[in-house]
């Protein structure tokens, strides 16, 4: 009891100093409640983050849709099935570069051949078939780039370079996710492939990457893409996108254009990251580089020291938060412009509506409701006229009475 009283006394003394010595007993009790609530909130936040991290570690394959009516679904390890054989031999499915942990795994994949390659792909993707239409559907989780080691910077730059070598066009926007179709890749032969490549991304740097290689029609591709729970995928990210799973609807005829705008924004943010990489490489601290090379294990692990010795500050969280806000502003601005253009095209803008309501803007010879509203209405009530007194005359129409003096 004495120990508890001493601790309580010291705590009361410390809290009193924070309140300039004017803390009452009831006020002290309130500080205990506030601190307990704060600690409880921190524990709950940590529990939520642990749950998110566990779901991230489990991967995104469980979020791939079930086979819809008319479709069949296969594991990539079902090498005896014709659709899987078609995918592996003709559609060139590849794991994300960032999913390879290091040189040792890369060597094992090379030695394992087709079966080892299929096992790697089966961790993130499935094969869907509907008659002659076959699709490889993959959802992979790209971890945040390791920007504090030379291996991590090289891997990040390689990924960004590969993205810049592709020529794409907008395909669709589904629940806030922009999907692009690759029409040409500078890293491949000049011959166009016999399949289509569709890619969508949620987030930047730390990303959910949705890919589909298929020979299917637009309708079939959209059917598969629309069956995914994008809000649940968005919740896997440390900083979820504010536009994904928010119920934002884009008209079908404008989805390709909006998807292109969203992809342009993504490319601009990648260029920002590349400029930061250039600054880091120009200001390397070689002692830190040596320490990080010995402590970092694999492509996706950071070193323990700042690779520039504190000369270049980089906060990857700012990039991810800023990208999400920029996406939201882009979509809101685009929707406002589309609404304004639609009003202008249909002649139903603000000034048109105001003009219709004001009879002064009526156009002679115009028939219809607008012309009727502009014409004066006749009353069926009798008009009573009275003369006398000071030579005035008055006329009453309904409840309105007007009088004029003589000579006016």
């Amino acid at each position: 009891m004495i120990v508890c009283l001493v601790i309580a006394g010291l705590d009361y003394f410390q809290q009193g100093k924070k309140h300039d010595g004017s803390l009452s007993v009831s006020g002290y009790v309130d500080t205990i409640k506030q601190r307990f609530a704060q600690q409880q909130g921190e524990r709950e936040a940590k529990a939520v983050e642990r749950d998110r991290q566990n779901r991230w570690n489990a991967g995104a394959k469980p979020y791939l849709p079930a086979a819809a009516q008319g479709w069949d679904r296969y594991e990539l390890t079902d090498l005896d099935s014709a659709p899987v054989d078609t995918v592996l031999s003709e559609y060139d499915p590849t794991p994300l570069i960032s999913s390879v942990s290091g040189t040792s795994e890369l060597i094992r994949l090379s030695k394992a051949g087709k079966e080892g390659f299929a096992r790697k792909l089966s961790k993130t993707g499935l094969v869907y078939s509907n008659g002659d239409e076959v699709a490889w559907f993959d959802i992979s989780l790209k971890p945040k780039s390791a920007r504090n080691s030379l291996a991590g910077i090289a891997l990040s730059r390689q990924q960004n370079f590969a993205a810049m070598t592709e020529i794409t066009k907008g395909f669709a926007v589904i629940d806030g996710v922009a999907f692009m179709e690759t029409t040409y890749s500078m890293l491949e032969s000049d011959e166009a492939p016999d399949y289509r490549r569709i890619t969508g991304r949620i987030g930047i740097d730390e990303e959910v990457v949705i890919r589909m290689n298929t020979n299917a029609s637009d309708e079939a591709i959209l059917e598969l893409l629309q069956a995914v729970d994008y809000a649940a995928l968005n919740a896997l990210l440390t900083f979820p996108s504010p536009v994904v799973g928010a119920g934002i609807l884009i008209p079908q005829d404008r989805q390709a254009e909006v998807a292109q705008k969203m992809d342009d924004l993504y490319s601009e943010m990648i260029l920002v990251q590349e400029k930061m990489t250039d600054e880091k490489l120009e200001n390397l601290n070689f002692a830190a580089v040596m320490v990080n090379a010995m402590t970092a294990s694999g492509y996706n692990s950071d070193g323990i020291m700042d690779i520039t010795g504190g000369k270049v500050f980089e906060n990857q969280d700012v990039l991810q938060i800023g990208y999400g806000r920029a996406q939201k502003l882009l979509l809101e601005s685009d929707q406002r412009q589309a609404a304004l253009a639609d009003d202008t095209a249909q002649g139903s803008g603000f000034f048109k509506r105001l003009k219709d309501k004001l009879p002064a803007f009526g156009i002679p010879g115009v028939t219809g409701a607008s012309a009727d509203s502009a014409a004066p209405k006749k009353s069926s009530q009798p008009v009573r006229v009275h003369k006398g007194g000071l030579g005035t005359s008055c006329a009453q129409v309904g409840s309105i009475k007007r009088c004029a003096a003589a000579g006016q």
Side-chain angles (χ1 to χ4, degrees):
M1 290 179 62
I2 293 173
V3 171
C4 291
L5 289 172
V6 170
I7 294 175
L10 288 172
D11 185 56
Y12 177 77
F13 174 74
Q14 292 176 346
Q15 294 299 318
K17 288 175 63 179
K18 294 180 180 179
H19 293 79
D20 299 327
S22 60
L23 185 64
S24 63
V25 176
S26 61
Y28 174 66
V29 174
D30 289 339
T31 64
I32 295 176
K33 294 178 181 179
Q34 293 171 3
R35 284 180 287 167
F36 178 78
Q38 182 180 359
Q39 291 176 356
Q40 183 66 21
E42 291 174 354
R43 283 195 292 269
E44 291 176 356
K46 290 179 180 178
V48 170
E49 174 57 22
R50 282 196 301 270
D51 176 65
R52 184 203 68 81
Q53 190 64 54
N54 290 336
R55 286 184 285 112
W56 175 275
N57 293 336
K61 185 177 179 179
Y63 299 92
L64 286 166
Q69 184 176 3
W71 289 85
D72 295 313
R73 194 171 79 162
Y74 303 88
E75 293 285 346
L76 278 149
T77 50
D78 296 339
L79 300 179
D80 295 333
S81 64
V84 173
D85 182 67
T86 298
V87 166
L88 293 177
S89 59
E90 300 179 15
Y91 288 2
D92 299 325
T94 56
L96 280 187
I97 298 174
S98 58
S99 67
V100 179
S101 60
T103 54
S104 58
E105 183 182 10
L106 187 60
I107 293 173
R108 286 197 304 271
L109 284 174
S110 301
K111 290 183 177 180
K114 184 177 180 179
E115 292 186 2
F117 195 60
R119 285 196 301 270
K120 177 70 174 178
L121 291 170
S122 69
K123 295 179 180 179
T124 56
L126 292 167
V127 173
Y128 295 78
S129 70
N130 182 8
D132 294 332
E133 294 182 320
V134 179
W136 168 65
F137 199 173
D138 181 273
I139 305 180
S140 298
L141 302 179
K142 175 186 172 298
K144 185 167 62 174
S145 301
R147 310 278 295 166
N148 207 31
S149 67
L150 286 181
I153 288 178
L155 179 63
S156 175
R157 176 147 285 187
Q158 183 182 3
Q159 293 174 116
N160 294 341
F161 174 77
M164 295 299 177
T165 60
E166 294 181 344
I167 298 176
T168 60
K169 65 177 181 179
F171 178 74
V173 179
I174 302 175
D175 205 4
V177 181
F179 286 92
M180 305 296 293
E181 181 171 1
T182 301
T183 58
Y184 178 74
S185 175
M186 300 178 186
L187 301 179
E188 299 176 355
S189 62
D190 294 336
E191 296 181 5
D194 296 329
Y195 59 91
R196 305 174 67 181
R197 290 173 288 187
I198 310 296
T199 305
R201 298 175 183 271
I202 306 175
I204 192 169
D205 198 20
E206 181 186 68
E207 304 172 12
V208 177
V209 184
I210 304 153
R211 296 177 294 166
M212 183 183 295
N213 290 4
T214 180
N215 65 345
S217 62
D218 287 354
E219 292 76 12
I221 295 172
L222 290 173
E223 181 183 4
L224 289 172
L225 293 179
Q226 290 169 349
V228 177
D229 186 350
Y230 294 103
L233 287 174
N234 190 37
L236 297 177
L237 298 174
T238 306
F239 299 101
S241 170
V243 303
V244 176
I248 299 175
L249 298 178
I250 307 295
Q252 184 67 43
D253 60 340
R254 297 190 60 253
Q255 287 190 15
E257 177 188 350
V258 175
Q260 187 64 60
K261 291 181 180 179
M262 296 177 71
D263 187 66
D264 291 343
L265 174 62
Y266 179 86
S267 298
E268 290 293 332
M269 299 298 282
I270 289 297
L271 289 177
V272 171
Q273 190 182 53
E274 286 297 293
K275 290 179 180 178
M276 186 63 67
T277 299
D278 291 337
E279 289 190 27
K280 295 180 79 169
L281 293 175
E282 291 172 1
N283 293 274
L284 288 178
N285 182 295
F286 291 99
V289 170
M290 294 300 297
V291 171
N292 290 351
M294 292 184 290
T295 57
S297 58
Y299 298 146
N300 296 312
S301 59
D302 262 329
I304 61 175
M305 295 181 65
D306 180 10
I307 203 168
T308 66
K311 293 182 180 178
V312 179
F313 173 76
E314 180 182 24
N315 191 333
Q316 292 168 270
D317 295 349
V318 172
L319 177 71
Q320 296 172 52
I321 296 172
Y323 175 65
R325 292 178 178 176
Q327 275 189 316
K328 189 172 186 294
L329 290 173
L330 185 150
L331 288 183
E332 289 176 349
S333 174
D334 181 82
Q335 286 186 325
R336 286 194 298 268
Q337 292 177 4
L340 182 61
D342 186 60
D343 280 352
T344 303
Q346 296 180 8
S348 58
F350 171 76
F351 291 105
K352 174 65 167 58
R353 293 191 294 269
L354 179 63
K355 177 181 174 182
D356 290 341
K357 292 181 179 179
L358 296 178
F361 289 97
I363 301 175
V366 176
T367 60
S370 298
D372 293 340
S373 63
K377 295 183 178 180
K378 297 182 180 179
S379 173
S380 61
Q381 300 184 42
V383 177
R384 295 187 295 274
V385 178
H386 172 74
K387 296 183 179 180
L390 298 175
T392 62
S393 62
C394 298
Q396 183 169 338
V397 179
S399 60
I400 301 175
K401 184 177 182 180
R402 294 186 176 92
C403 298
Q408 299 298 320

